[in-house]
Amino acid sequence: MIRGVPSKAPTHRRAITGLATVALLKTNYDEGRDHISMFMPFVLDAVASLERDDFDVEDVRNVLFARHRLSVPDATLRTLLQRAVHQGAVKREFRRYFRQPGALHHADITSARARVESEHGRLAGELRTFAEAKGRAIADDEAALALLLGFLADNEIAMLLDEAAPDEGARHEALTARDTRLIARFINDVCLPDRQLGACLGRMLEGLVLQNALLLRDIATAPRRFGDLCVYLDTGFLLRALGFEGEAAQVATREGLDLLLETNARFAVFDKTVDEIKRILALYEHTLGTAQGRESLRPTAVTRHFLTQRYATSDVRQARALVQKQLGQLGIDIRPIPPHDRRYTRDEADLTRRLQAPGFADTDPIEPRVQHDVDCVAAVLTSRGARSPDSLDHARAIFATTSSGVVQTVNEWWRAGGEVGLSPIIHYIVLSNAAWLKKPGAATDLKLRELVALCTAALRPSATAWQRFLRHLRKLEDSGELSTDEAVAVVASGLTDKLLSEVEEDDGLDASTLNEVVERVKATYRADADKRIAQVEAGAASEAERRRQVELKVSAIADFGARWLARLVFVPVFVVIVVGSFTGVPLAFPGLGSLTKVVTWAAALVVSLLTVFLLYHDPVKGWHQSLEMRLRRALRARLLGEGQDHRVLEREAPSGQDGSG
């Protein structure tokens, strides 16, 4: 039995190895393997690499971690080894395992790993080039991938542990705030627009979630739909779902809701949470109307959304009035907080103290947000009753939030009370991961959309930077260098976020760089204004030409109609003349012969035509033209609208005097 296998991967290969493993996991899953068998190629590779034919679970676990950075719980590893026994790759005798000669000659996955690592090498190279342009030198590909892995792992919160993974497996590069923004900008500006890099990143993300399947209490339950789970949603999550934190967050959140529905979860929200949302919107309703009010707002995602989207007080008032209707459209049921039952709740006073801000005095009133969270946790425990679920599948009720701090505090309080089973609170990303593991095909882009929302949030300037920027704007206003309207426009510009974040990354928050931010935003506004003016002028010219063409076409139709209507009016007169000539002339010469009759009829025809011609071109001509003009004016007024016909008639007066045509 081997005892000398190191428990750690070489430090210079940890990130490369770890990311290659999660990408291979995604490949295995896509090939149709289930949540357990997708780990089988790694187990067989580890068994094949052992120095001896006989081994136990601990030997395989150590080699798995050394070769693939996989921390597999013993229970799951025994299940995998039992499957290997059924496949004939190993056999078990006297509580030990033995390799079967010749059964593992295809178990080596070195070539597959090399292909993945080559793809990741390109990603690392792009990151190093991007970072160098930003003034951040990254030593090698391992360091670049370590930063990337740290960013992704920081936001893939571990699931419900059955047994603790080795500390080495949980460690990754600790990112500074500057590095976090660097990676977020790299993902946003370089990876996502590139189809190959974006696909590579997507496989990493989904592989990390698949790797988390190892942390489930019972991995066999991973593909099953939730049996009895009602998710009570927190304020932050609902603000995203309602679109108050921007489009990226809304798209990811709503796709997550769709996935939870596909996996048989139910949604609800406590009435106190709805009241809290309305209180938040009421705050914006009363502060967005004045410059002083806008400056007093904390630079949260909701604040930036309302400002950059030019929300007026009336817009927020309307949004507040529609909250309940929109929640209903999302399929979220609004329920009252159940009656408090001390048989099922825990030490709420202790939880309140833990959730309060540091330095909070016991004599001070409890903050509304803290009271809300305590009430929601107590309501979930009351809904569960005497049950103590150990997994999400039959949890009955759970409170889902986007606040990592609240989740951590409640979980610490839960464990400190000696409780067992599932905590009453869960982070939304954990819930999303659990649902995605059950039905990945129902949300193929969910993890990538969540990453986009995460990068958007990471690229916002910090609260400290915003406060400093606002103070700088006030100084410019006081000195007269900036008008109040200009200051409002700068604060409301979406470009301000991007520029301020870039300046903060470069540690350049001084008066000079802040002035540059203001000037660049103002220049953008001027360019946008010039562009809009040009567009309006071009649109006006195009509209004028279009109207002219329409008027000409309608005028032609009116002229044609007026001409023929005027002619039709005189048709009865012409008919009377012709008929009279043909009946009167022959009667005046009754005794003429047949040849003479022909001549007489011809004379009648000539007389009638001459009469019509003389009438039409002499006394009747003026009447005809006058009638035609009146008909033309009436038709144009009817077709073009009142007031339009006079302009057309004036412009085309010569054409109106062309006679009968």
Side-chain angles (χ1 to χ4, degrees):
M1 180 174 61
I2 59 171
R3 295 298 182 193
V5 177
S7 63
K8 299 181 181 179
T11 56
H12 64 283
R13 295 277 299 174
R14 286 186 179 183
I16 292 176
T17 302
L19 286 175
T21 295
V22 297
L24 287 172
L25 272 176
K26 179 64 169 66
T27 301
N28 293 342
Y29 186 84
D30 289 343
E31 290 175 353
R33 294 184 171 96
D34 63 27
H35 293 73
I36 296 180
S37 61
M38 65 181 174
F39 294 98
M40 184 61 75
F42 301 100
V43 172
L44 295 180
D45 176 83
V47 170
S49 69
L50 291 171
E51 296 178 357
R52 296 178 57 174
D53 288 337
D54 64 308
F55 56 92
D56 60 13
V57 171
E58 182 183 359
D59 298 328
V60 178
R61 173 157 48 84
N62 289 337
V63 175
L64 267 175
F65 187 76
R67 288 176 66 85
H68 304 297
R69 300 285 293 169
L70 279 175
S71 300
V72 183
D74 284 355
T76 303
L77 190 51
R78 290 190 186 95
T79 301
L80 288 163
L81 288 173
Q82 189 60 35
R83 290 194 179 190
V85 170
H86 292 158
Q87 293 175 9
V90 300
K91 65 178 180 179
R92 188 179 185 190
E93 293 180 357
F94 306 107
R95 303 182 68 177
R96 289 188 62 77
Y97 297 92
F98 296 85
R99 282 189 301 217
Q100 292 288 70
L104 297 171
H105 61 279
H106 294 304
D108 189 359
I109 60 174
T110 303
S111 59
R113 178 178 290 280
R115 288 194 300 272
V116 173
E117 290 181 0
S118 174
E119 183 182 47
H120 291 180
R122 184 201 165 196
L123 186 65
E126 293 284 353
L127 175 55
R128 293 175 65 189
T129 302
F130 180 83
E132 185 176 0
K134 297 289 184 180
R136 166 73 159 90
I138 301 178
D140 51 27
D141 287 358
E142 168 66 21
L145 291 177
L147 287 173
L148 190 60
L149 178 60
F151 182 84
L152 299 178
D154 269 342
N155 299 284
E156 287 297 329
I157 304 168
M159 293 189 192
L160 314 171
L161 286 172
D162 183 20
E163 47 187 301
D167 289 341
E168 297 88 351
R171 291 177 188 160
H172 53 264
E173 185 77 12
L175 269 62
T176 63
R178 182 180 179 185
D179 283 344
T180 296
R181 284 193 292 270
L182 174 70
I183 301 301
R185 197 172 299 283
F186 169 70
I187 291 173
N188 192 67
D189 296 351
V190 178
C191 292
L192 296 180
D194 187 293
R195 186 172 61 180
Q196 291 183 342
L197 292 179
C200 177
L201 196 65
R203 287 191 290 273
M204 285 183 183
L205 273 172
E206 295 178 356
L208 282 169
V209 180
L210 290 169
Q211 186 181 26
N212 278 341
L214 289 172
L215 306 179
L216 294 173
R217 291 182 179 275
D218 183 3
I219 194 172
T221 66
R224 300 176 190 167
R225 287 154 58 94
F226 293 116
D228 180 15
L229 179 64
C230 182
V231 181
Y232 289 90
L233 302 169
D234 192 18
T235 304
F237 181 90
L238 293 174
L239 288 173
R240 294 182 183 183
L242 293 172
F244 297 142
E245 291 194 10
E247 183 181 3
Q250 182 184 33
V251 170
T253 303
R254 292 200 175 188
E255 191 166 327
L257 287 175
D258 292 340
L259 175 61
L260 286 167
L261 281 176
E262 288 283 340
T263 52
N264 203 39
R266 305 183 306 279
F267 305 134
V269 57
F270 291 121
D271 51 4
K272 282 196 172 184
T273 304
V274 177
D275 293 340
E276 185 173 65
I277 293 173
K278 289 186 174 182
R279 283 199 303 272
I280 292 172
L281 294 179
L283 171 66
Y284 286 101
E285 182 181 339
H286 291 109
T287 52
L288 283 177
T290 64
Q292 184 178 3
R294 288 189 290 269
E295 290 181 4
S296 68
L297 292 170
R298 293 174 56 242
T300 63
V302 178
T303 299
R304 297 306 300 151
H305 175 72
F306 282 155
L307 290 176
T308 56
Q309 298 303 311
R310 309 292 199 278
Y311 267 66
T313 298
S314 57
D315 298 325
V316 182
R317 185 183 304 116
Q318 182 180 24
R320 183 163 63 92
L322 293 175
V323 166
Q324 289 164 299
K325 179 180 179 181
Q326 290 182 322
L327 291 177
Q329 291 172 343
L330 291 174
I332 301 173
D333 187 24
I334 301 175
R335 300 181 184 178
I337 292 280
H340 194 274
D341 192 334
R342 293 191 177 277
R343 292 178 300 169
Y344 307 125
T345 58
R346 305 297 186 268
D347 189 351
E348 296 172 46
D350 181 39
L351 179 58
T352 301
R353 285 192 295 271
R354 291 171 180 264
L355 287 172
Q356 289 284 18
F360 179 82
D362 292 341
T363 56
D364 293 339
I366 299 175
E367 296 177 74
R369 64 169 184 85
V370 172
Q371 189 62 60
H372 166 267
D373 293 342
V374 172
D375 289 342
C376 289
V377 169
V380 166
L381 292 174
T382 302
S383 299
R384 289 181 180 177
R387 299 174 59 182
S388 182
D390 60 358
S391 73
L392 280 172
D393 293 270
H394 298 280
R396 179 174 289 183
I398 199 159
F399 184 47
T401 180
T402 55
S403 173
S404 301
V406 173
V407 172
Q408 182 178 353
T409 300
V410 174
N411 286 341
E412 289 173 354
W413 164 79
W414 182 253
R415 290 191 295 269
E419 301 295 339
V420 295
L422 184 66
S423 170
I425 196 169
I426 192 171
H427 195 283
Y428 162 69
I429 293 296
V430 178
L431 183 63
S432 168
N433 288 347
W436 188 87
L437 280 171
K438 293 180 180 296
K439 202 167 184 179
T444 54
D445 296 327
L446 174 60
K447 295 292 114 183
L448 211 53
R449 294 191 192 282
E450 289 176 348
L451 181 63
V452 171
L454 173 67
C455 291
T456 301
L459 291 175
R460 294 191 186 103
S462 66
T464 302
W466 256 112
Q467 293 303 325
R468 189 167 180 178
F469 183 66
L470 291 176
R471 288 196 299 270
H472 183 74
L473 287 180
R474 281 195 291 271
K475 289 181 181 178
L476 293 179
E477 283 187 77
D478 294 341
S479 65
E481 298 177 58
L482 199 68
S483 68
T484 301
D485 289 341
E486 287 176 324
V488 170
V490 169
V491 170
S493 173
L495 180 62
T496 303
D497 284 20
K498 181 177 183 295
L499 295 178
L500 197 57
S501 177
E502 290 177 351
V503 169
E504 189 177 12
E505 290 171 20
D506 298 333
D507 298 326
L509 288 175
D510 54 28
S512 175
T513 54
L514 293 178
N515 276 334
E516 184 179 349
V517 169
V518 173
E519 289 303 319
R520 288 182 64 182
V521 174
K522 287 172 62 178
T524 303
Y525 267 110
R526 286 192 292 269
D528 288 345
D530 292 342
K531 183 178 179 180
R532 284 196 294 270
I533 291 172
Q535 288 175 342
V536 169
E537 290 176 347
S542 175
E543 177 65 15
E545 176 62 20
R546 187 190 67 81
R547 290 184 64 84
R548 191 182 74 84
Q549 294 295 332
V550 171
E551 289 176 359
L552 290 175
K553 185 175 181 179
V554 172
S555 297
I557 295 173
D559 293 349
F560 179 81
R563 184 178 301 115
W564 281 100
L565 284 174
R567 289 173 178 174
L568 288 174
V569 168
F570 287 92
V571 166
V573 177
F574 301 152
V575 170
V576 170
I577 293 172
V578 173
V579 172
S581 298
F582 274 85
T583 56
V585 173
L587 290 175
F589 305 95
L592 297 177
S594 59
L595 179 60
T596 307
K597 288 182 178 180
V598 173
V599 174
T600 304
W601 282 104
L605 177 62
V606 171
V607 169
S608 63
L609 291 177
L610 287 173
T611 304
V612 169
F613 178 80
L614 290 173
L615 286 174
Y616 188 73
H617 282 276
D618 192 16
V620 182
K621 181 178 181 180
W623 302 342
H624 173 268
Q625 289 179 344
S626 176
L627 177 61
E628 183 178 335
M629 182 65 70
R630 285 196 294 270
L631 288 172
R632 181 184 293 117
R633 184 179 292 111
L635 286 174
R636 288 180 176 180
R638 176 66 61 88
L639 294 175
L640 292 174
E642 293 296 334
Q644 299 289 333
D645 58 310
H646 300 294
R647 293 198 301 271
V648 177
L649 287 174
E650 291 172 1
R651 186 165 59 244
E652 299 181 2
S655 65
Q657 305 296 330
D658 60 352
S660 63

